[in-house]
Every structure is written in C-alpha cells, then in structure tokens.
Amino acid sequence: MTKIMNILLLPGDGVGPEVCNEATKIINAVANSFDLDILIDEDLIGGISIDKYKTPITDEVISKAKFSDAIILGGVGGPKWDNLASKDKPEKGLLRLRSDLDFFANLRPSICFSETSGASTLKKEIIEGLDILIVRELTGGIYFGEPREKSTKSAFNTMIYTREEIERISEIAFESAMKRNRKLCSVDKANVLEVSELWREVVEETSLKYPEVILEHMLVDNAAMQLMKDPKQFDVIVSSNLFGDILSDIGSMLTGSIGMLPSASLDHKSKGLYEPVHGTAPDIAGKGVVNPIATILSVAMMFKYTFKLNQVSEKIELAVKKALSNGYATQDIALPNSKILSTEEMGSLISEYV
Ligand code: IPM
Ligand code: MN
C-alpha cells in the first residue's frame, strides 16, 4: 500500500454531479487495479452552496480543500443564480478556491482525437492530429485586480500583473514547452495595454533561461484568428487570465466538442484543482446525456501532475481512446454511425476498460 491520497470532490451545479459520478467510477477502478489507497470526501460549491449556506463556498470547504491533495470539481452556476450581483454569484466560489489555494497555473490541453474531429464545426484537415497546450494564468489579471467597482452610471475593473506573477506562469509555460515540441507562443495585447508590455518584457527575460525553446509573441486578436485558421502551428500558448479563458474556449472547438476538454490548475507544489473546461450546461442537466470525458481526462491529469503516476494517467487516456475507437459516443460527439451512450454508460464503459 502506498500513501493515502486525499481527494475532495466538489460536484457543484448543473451537469457537475453527473460528470463527477463518472469521475468517481474511474477513480475507484484505478484504485482497484493499481492497489491505490484513495479517500474521497465530497462537499458543496457554487449555487447549491448558496442555497444551503448563503455563500458559494464556506470557510470549511476552503479548509478541507487545503488539507486535501487534489480537488475534482464539476462546475458552478446556472440561471437560478444569474440575477445575483457578481460578488455573490456561484462563480465567486470557484474564483475564491483558485485564489485562496494559489492555483495560478491552469493547463488546458486541446487534443483532437480522429474519432471526434467530425463533431467540430471546423474542417477535419484543419484540426485532425491537433495537440496544443494552453497555459492560462489563473489567479491574477482583470479577474482579481483592485480596485473594481460598479455604480449605475459607470463601472470598471483593473487589469494588473506584477513581475513575479508573470515570471512564475512563464516558467511553467517554458517548462511545459521543454517537455513537448519546444515552441512557445505568448499571447498579449502589447500594442494597446501597458500590462501587456510588462508581460512581454518578463516573458522575454524568462526565455533567456530556455534557449532551446522558440519563443514567439502574438496579439490576442490575431491569436484568435490563427487558432481558427491554422491551429497546428502552435505547441504551447501562454496567456493572462482573461485572454486564456477566451482562447481555451476556442481551443475546445478545435477538438470536436467542449465535452472533451480537461484542465488542471496547479500551485507551485503541483497540488491541483481538476475540472472540465465546460460549464454546467443547465439546458442538458439531469438528462443523463452530458459527456463525462472532459472530467475523466481531468482525473487522468490529476494522476499525472499531482500524484506523479504516469502509468495510471496513461491507462485512463487509453481507456477513453478505446471507447472512442470502438465507435461509442455521447450525443455531443456522435457521428452518423456512432453507438450513442448515456453519461452513465460512457463512464461505466471507460471504467471497465480501465
Ligand atoms: C472557466 C470558466 C470560469 C472562468 C468561470 C466559471 C468563472 O469560464 O473555468 O473557464 O472564467 O475562469
Ligand atoms: Mn471559461
């Protein structure tokens, strides 16, 4: 028996509980086949926590998160809470969790499996074989900048980055590029924003430590266009919180469906928060049709980045590929000949393959 792994499960709202159920199946399956000692605790975040405790995340959940090794999250938010002020919204729970635990490095891989390329609105040849990694800064920038204010006459937010914040996310991006094809594209808006000028300078300075990595800078508007036009030109992309948020949604369509995209948010010790890139999809919540693969692949990332168990993570990825190549699909990635499965059936099939 190895050391006990403590995982906190925060299913949240909408389709969150459904995808987290399937994540749990996968964790139990690998715990069995690799003889791992895993403890899963579960608690509330988002709208469901607002309903029960009048806050999107309680101090107790924050401290549970601090004592766990990894957190798996479903999603937060939904129409029921849309009219709350932004400081009271379910999303604030997730933002507080990211910020209080210093999960500054958000890794969002966009990988296009040949079986799902047909589900994208883009041409197959543009996206097939795509494998890029978006590194998004997650605890700074305009999401958290002070001051911020709203009155009925005007409103503002502050986009601010310190040198240290840019340095540490650049390091992660260069390190990631070193393990891949050694190409890094830093995305900013340096033709307009001072904050981007500093971003560019610091990324340049960091690049001196990584002479093997080819560094390129791109303006965010052009980057959005290039991602649509020729996504395979990229290897690793690094960007600020807001730009990275937008670019990673583009990244999702490049894989066929946003239902396929996992993510990891890491602190400097590789403790992590793992969540699908998709949201709570209120329109399909409770219907048993949501694609659990984004969350299942997030579990695979957890074993790789937090627990350093690459074989476990590869086993999960292989099981996902096997389900796809055997012609199984959830609705969002279905092609005319696919065998369509419900959320639960897909999760069970993948855990069986594991
Ligand atoms: C994401 C989401 C979040 C974000 C929301 C839910 C606060 O869109 O993880 O990409 O903007 O970071
Ligand atoms: Mn987003």
Side-chain angles (χ1 to χ4, degrees):
M1 277 282 171
T2 40
K3 173 182 168 291
I4 296 180
M5 305 170 184
N6 287 295
I7 298 174
L8 177 63
L9 196 67
L10 299 174
D13 308 315
V15 296
E18 292 165 72
V19 294
C20 282
N21 259 338
E22 305 317 306
T24 309
K25 277 186 201 163
I26 304 298
I27 294 171
N28 290 333
V30 292
N32 272 330
S33 60
F34 288 87
D35 195 20
L36 304 174
D37 217 349
I38 301 180
L39 267 180
I40 304 181
D41 189 6
E42 190 176 324
D43 220 308
L44 305 185
I45 190 170
I48 188 169
S49 172
I50 294 178
D51 291 351
K52 186 148 181 214
Y53 299 114
K54 301 199 165 25
T55 171
I57 192 162
T58 60
D59 293 341
E60 197 198 332
V61 172
I62 289 285
S63 80
K64 270 190 187 179
K66 284 185 179 158
F67 285 106
S68 65
D69 300 305
I71 301 146
I72 294 176
L73 188 138
V76 292
K80 182 172 175 194
W81 307 279
D82 274 351
N83 293 327
L84 296 173
S86 81
K87 66 175 187 16
D88 302 320
K89 279 197 165 69
E91 286 79 354
K92 266 283 166 335
L94 173 57
L95 295 174
R96 181 175 166 208
L97 182 62
R98 288 173 179 171
S99 171
D100 282 13
L101 277 89
D102 208 21
F103 290 134
F104 69 94
N106 184 214
L107 311 182
R108 297 188 159 184
S110 282
I111 297 172
C112 182
F113 300 100
S114 54
E115 293 84 3
T116 58
S117 60
S120 174
T121 51
L122 295 167
K123 287 191 199 117
K124 226 181 156 93
E125 61 271 24
I126 301 288
I127 55 173
E128 211 160 60
L130 178 84
D131 181 352
I132 62 180
L133 176 68
I134 298 180
V135 178
R136 168 187 176 197
E137 198 292 325
L138 200 62
T139 51
I142 198 165
Y143 272 57
F144 294 95
E146 297 284 348
R148 57 197 298 158
E149 212 172 280
K150 176 171 172 263
S151 72
T152 48
K153 290 225 171 69
S154 70
F156 62 84
N157 290 88
T158 303
M159 193 186 269
I160 180 165
Y161 270 111
T162 63
R163 167 171 290 276
E164 289 70 32
E165 285 174 315
I166 306 168
E167 240 162 41
R168 66 179 186 170
I169 195 67
S170 308
E171 294 273 354
I172 300 277
F174 278 106
E175 290 292 339
S176 308
M178 284 298 286
K179 293 188 197 124
R180 297 170 46 101
N181 294 325
R182 304 191 170 185
K183 257 177 72 182
L184 176 63
C185 178
S186 170
V187 174
D188 61 35
K189 189 71 186 170
N191 56 344
V192 177
L193 305 174
E194 282 77 4
V195 61
S196 286
E197 269 177 45
L198 181 68
W199 179 278
R200 213 174 255 221
E201 282 164 28
V202 176
V203 172
E204 275 294 328
E205 283 166 27
T206 312
S207 77
L208 299 176
K209 286 197 258 172
Y210 300 91
E212 295 101 322
V213 177
I214 299 171
L215 171 67
E216 176 191 20
H217 300 279
M218 203 179 272
L219 298 173
V220 62
D221 46 354
N222 183 31
M225 191 262 275
Q226 294 296 335
L227 273 169
M228 294 278 104
K229 189 178 160 202
D230 176 23
K232 286 185 241 171
Q233 70 182 284
F234 297 103
D235 178 25
V236 179
I237 292 176
V238 63
S239 201
S240 61
N241 206 342
L242 179 64
F243 297 160
D245 178 45
I246 299 166
L247 294 180
S248 60
D249 262 41
I250 299 181
S252 71
M253 248 308 117
L254 303 172
T255 68
S257 165
I258 194 164
M260 299 292 298
L261 244 75
S263 81
S265 306
L266 307 175
D267 71 2
H268 68 286
K269 288 195 208 126
S270 299
K271 173 176 173 151
L273 165 66
Y274 297 86
E275 47 175 326
V277 171
H278 64 71
T280 53
D283 52 323
I284 56 165
K287 295 188 179 154
V289 297
V290 61
N291 186 347
I293 293 179
T295 314
I296 291 172
L297 291 174
S298 302
V299 170
M301 290 185 89
M302 171 182 80
F303 283 107
K304 177 170 169 187
Y305 289 102
T306 294
F307 299 121
K308 319 279 184 219
L309 293 171
N310 283 348
Q311 328 110 275
V312 178
S313 136
E314 277 157 25
K315 185 113 189 196
I316 298 172
E317 286 166 9
L318 275 177
V320 168
K321 278 186 198 147
K322 186 167 166 188
L324 298 173
S325 61
N326 285 345
Y328 295 103
T330 42
Q331 260 176 22
D332 58 315
I333 51 171
L335 298 173
N337 294 326
S338 303
K339 292 168 258 186
I340 297 187
L341 300 182
S342 69
T343 307
E344 282 186 29
E345 288 166 340
M346 181 60 96
S348 300
L349 180 74
I350 296 171
S351 67
E352 220 173 87
Y353 288 164
V354 164

